[in-house]
Amino acid sequence: MDLLELQDALASKSFQRIGEICDELMLQVASSGISFQQEWPYSIHLLGHIYVNDLNSARFLWKSIPSGIKESRAEVVAAWKIGQCLWIRDYAGVYAAIRGFNWSPEALGLVTAFGESYTKRNFQLLVSAYSTISVTDTAQFLGMAEDDATNYVLQHGWTLDSTSRMLSVRKPEIITEQKLDSSKLQRLTEYVFHLEH
């Protein structure tokens, strides 16, 4: 079983391609009739789908994993725990599942990158959904201690009311570019000229 393409993707940190690569390799190996279940990198495969937020594929993969492998490989179960927490939108549970396992060197980079991406995604969710939010809720959404979460959002321009422990969200400025091409300018000039004469 040749996993070179998968190893290259992991080494180059092309994590968004991991799930797709694993799916293709699994189809190739399965179609050749080779028994692959015992050596298959199920945890990496699951994490690849989780990284791109493809929870349906992760669920179907989990259901297809033989029960003996689920029982014998703790990392596969730990990867699925992240998927379960994502499925039920347990934000704090996702971070607990990430931190609650001693990941293998192969999976550690992928899990770390997912954690950072997940924090950024949740931060954008908070920016779009809230105008004010408590420090406690912010910390839960971002998977950080309250002081760390406060420092993180203050660096992004939010303000803290220390008496109420509420954060005011700074909405990003919406910049609209107005494109003006020469044909529009020419028509405007002709129109103004026509009005004046």
Side-chain angles (χ1 to χ4, degrees):
M1 183 167 43
D2 183 21
L3 299 176
L4 186 60
E5 186 180 2
L6 176 60
Q7 293 165 350
D8 288 345
L10 287 168
S12 66
K13 300 186 184 305
S14 300
F15 300 129
Q16 69 279 1
R17 296 180 45 231
I18 300 291
E20 181 182 319
I21 290 170
C22 287
D23 287 343
E24 289 175 16
L25 287 172
M26 183 181 265
L27 284 173
Q28 289 172 6
V29 172
S31 67
S32 66
I34 300 171
S35 177
F36 65 92
Q37 283 88 0
Q38 293 304 317
E39 304 103 40
W40 191 256
Y42 284 109
S43 57
I44 300 294
H45 197 164
L46 276 169
L47 290 167
H49 288 305
I50 289 169
Y51 183 84
V52 294
N53 204 29
D54 186 359
L55 297 181
N56 285 327
S57 292
R59 281 181 54 228
F60 290 126
L61 176 62
W62 173 255
K63 289 178 180 183
S64 73
I65 297 173
S67 59
I69 291 174
K70 291 177 185 177
E71 294 167 4
S72 65
R73 295 194 199 166
E75 190 169 79
V76 173
V77 176
W80 179 237
K81 181 66 178 166
I82 296 171
Q84 287 175 311
C85 292
L86 287 168
W87 188 260
I88 61 171
R89 292 185 176 88
D90 178 6
Y91 302 102
V94 170
Y95 292 110
I98 290 171
R99 294 183 188 117
F101 188 77
N102 188 16
W103 299 96
S104 68
E106 298 82 27
L108 184 60
L110 180 54
V111 171
T112 302
F114 169 74
E116 292 168 0
S117 169
Y118 187 67
T119 298
K120 289 176 185 173
R121 198 167 58 207
N122 282 345
F123 178 74
Q124 291 305 317
L125 179 68
L126 294 177
V127 167
S128 65
Y130 291 91
S131 57
T132 57
I133 185 171
S134 71
V135 171
T136 305
D137 289 343
T138 303
Q140 182 178 351
F141 275 106
L142 299 179
M144 301 176 184
E146 289 187 8
D147 290 340
D148 294 338
T150 302
N151 290 334
Y152 182 84
V153 298
L154 289 176
Q155 290 173 0
H156 288 85
W158 294 20
T159 54
L160 171 66
D161 180 358
S162 54
T163 55
S164 65
R165 306 266 305 146
M166 294 296 286
L167 292 160
S168 295
V169 178
R170 188 187 109 210
K171 302 285 184 184
E173 293 181 26
I174 300 172
I175 300 170
T176 56
E177 275 189 37
Q178 195 173 34
K179 296 182 180 178
L180 188 62
D181 62 15
S182 60
S183 65
K184 289 180 183 176
L185 188 58
Q186 179 64 34
R187 283 195 319 228
L188 179 63
T189 304
E190 290 171 2
Y191 182 73
V192 171
F193 181 78
H194 178 71
L195 289 176
E196 290 179 352
H197 296 268

